[in-house]
Amino acid sequence: MSDDITPRLALPLLQPGQAQKETTHNEALTVLDLAVQASVLAVGTNVPPATPVSGGAWIVGAAPTGGWAGQAHAIAGWTSGGWRFVGARDGMAAWSIADGQVARFVGGAWTLGVLAGSRVSIGGNDVVGARRAAIVDPAGGTIVDTESRAAIGAILGALRGHGLISG
């Protein structure tokens, strides 16, 4: 890694005795403005817009062309000085305005709307956790209530169909 840029976002660093330090500082602020709490207009776009507006940002697709050539998967932002790019790194996230979802960069690709975790907790109470053993269909008992069994079977079938329970 070069000594004149930061290792993660490639922000330009000021150098001792450097003239016009404001230029380097302003470039770093421009890239930070693009990367911090990123919000993009679209994900996976390969062709730059014909008339971008300053402040607009996009996640570049896998086969970019034109002004985005060579910037696959980067976050591209239009500024008064032209295109600026922030290279994607594992763990980066950006809000996609077009999709209304978070896009995350993991394993060399952007994914939309995928949340990964081991549990969901609301107010300190786990509402979703590790998958438990399958719930068996109703059977047996001394009194047979076919309507109840049919309703329970339908509920279990719907939950299984949506991947909410196994079985």
Side-chain angles (χ1 to χ4, degrees):
M1 180 72 23
S2 173
D3 288 338
D4 57 349
I5 60 172
T6 62
R8 288 178 24 115
L9 294 177
L11 301 173
L13 295 171
L14 298 176
Q15 299 300 313
Q18 176 182 337
Q20 297 181 328
K21 288 180 174 25
E22 68 278 0
T23 303
T24 302
H25 179 74
N26 289 343
E27 181 65 21
L29 289 177
T30 299
V31 173
L32 277 174
D33 186 49
L34 182 59
V36 176
Q37 295 291 349
S39 176
V40 297
L41 296 170
V43 175
T45 305
N46 286 309
V47 179
T51 55
V53 175
S54 186
W58 295 261
I59 292 177
V60 179
T65 62
W68 291 354
Q71 298 293 335
H73 306 296
I75 297 175
W78 181 256
T79 68
S80 59
W83 289 109
R84 297 295 187 272
F85 300 95
V86 176
R89 297 177 56 93
D90 273 355
M92 287 183 86
W95 179 256
S96 171
I97 295 169
D99 301 296
Q101 298 179 27
V102 173
R104 292 192 186 284
F105 190 78
V106 179
W110 287 95
T111 58
L112 277 168
V114 176
L115 300 176
S118 59
R119 71 179 207 217
V120 175
S121 179
I122 298 175
N125 298 312
D126 287 353
V127 294
V128 177
R131 188 168 286 224
R132 297 182 181 164
I135 301 171
V136 298
D137 288 326
T142 57
I143 299 175
V144 177
D145 184 345
T146 55
E147 290 84 11
S148 294
R149 287 183 185 205
I152 292 170
I155 292 168
L156 291 174
L159 291 171
R160 289 178 184 129
H162 290 286
L164 299 174
I165 63 172
S166 61

